[in-house]
């Protein structure tokens, strides 16, 4: 019996935090906020939303993977291979930098130095470069780098990625 009462109280406890907040001015003109309205005074009722603290980069696991092995996708409009590469990273929710060697001489030179040639797509995981899109090898590299297998809902991918 006691355990049933305790469980009922624990389940009801979170709902107590959704109380209303009232605002009024006292006799000295000070603004007062309270969960109880003052008797006989006109008050404004405030709608208080839950506090949520968001961090950049999602959960701890994703942030650690990003710190240890940042992802860069070297890509352009190469068609299906580049589209599949972006889709894989998007499906897993992997945050990445997008570099286009066709649009920038600096990116062209950097990719040639990294991969030995300028063929896209290239997945750079930390210091390792994987040339050409291969679903299984790219997924294995992301797994080894510590990235989750499914998208973290707290990370928003930029439009167009």
């Amino acid at each position: 019996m006691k355990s049933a009462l305790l469980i009922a109280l624990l389940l009801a406890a979170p709902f107590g935090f959704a109380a209303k907040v009232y605002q009024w001015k006292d006799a000295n003109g000070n603004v007062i906020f309270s969960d109880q309205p003052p008797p006989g005074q006109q008050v404004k009722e405030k709608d208080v939303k839950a506090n949520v603290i968001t961090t950049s980069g999602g959960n701890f696991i994703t942030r650690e993977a990003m710190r240890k092995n940042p992802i860069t996708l070297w890509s352009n409009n190469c068609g299906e291979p580049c589209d599949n590469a972006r889709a894989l990273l998007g499906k897993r929710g992997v945050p990445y930098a997008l570099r286009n060697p066709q649009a920038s001489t600096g990116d062209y030179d950097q990719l040639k130095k990294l991969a030995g040639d300028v063929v896209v797509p290239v997945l750079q995981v930390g210091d390792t470069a994987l040339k050409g899109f291969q679903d299984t090898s790219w997924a294995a590299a992301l797994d080894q780098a510590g990235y989750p297998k499914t998208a973290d809902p707290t990370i928003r991918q930029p439009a167009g990625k």
Side-chain angles (χ1 to χ4, degrees), residues 131-151:
K131 294 192 282 186
F133 177 72
Q134 294 178 1
D135 189 16
T136 54
S137 63
W138 282 32
L142 293 170
D143 291 344
Q144 186 175 358
Y147 285 92
K149 293 182 186 293
T150 58

Side-chain angles (χ1 to χ4, degrees), residues 40-128:
Q41 285 192 20
Q42 185 175 2
V43 297
K44 290 183 184 176
E45 193 174 303
K46 295 286 185 181
D47 185 21
V48 179
K49 304 290 185 214
N51 279 337
V52 177
I53 298 173
T54 57
T55 59
S56 61
N59 64 32
F60 178 76
I61 294 169
T62 304
R63 287 194 316 269
E64 278 299 293
M66 289 168 54
R67 184 180 65 79
K68 292 177 182 175
N69 295 295
I71 303 296
T72 301
L73 176 61
W74 299 84
S75 176
N76 56 27
N77 295 327
C78 70
E80 189 175 343
C82 290
D83 294 343
N84 290 340
R86 285 188 291 274
L88 172 70
L89 296 173
K91 182 175 106 178
R92 289 184 63 148
V94 174
Y96 62 94
L98 181 62
R99 307 289 290 273
N100 184 347
Q102 191 175 22
S104 163
T105 306
D107 286 351
Y108 180 92
D109 295 339
Q110 195 172 358
L111 179 59
K112 188 165 185 158
K113 183 178 177 182
L114 173 73
D117 57 13
V118 188
V119 176
V120 292
V122 171
L123 179 69
Q124 183 179 355
V125 182
D127 295 330
T128 304

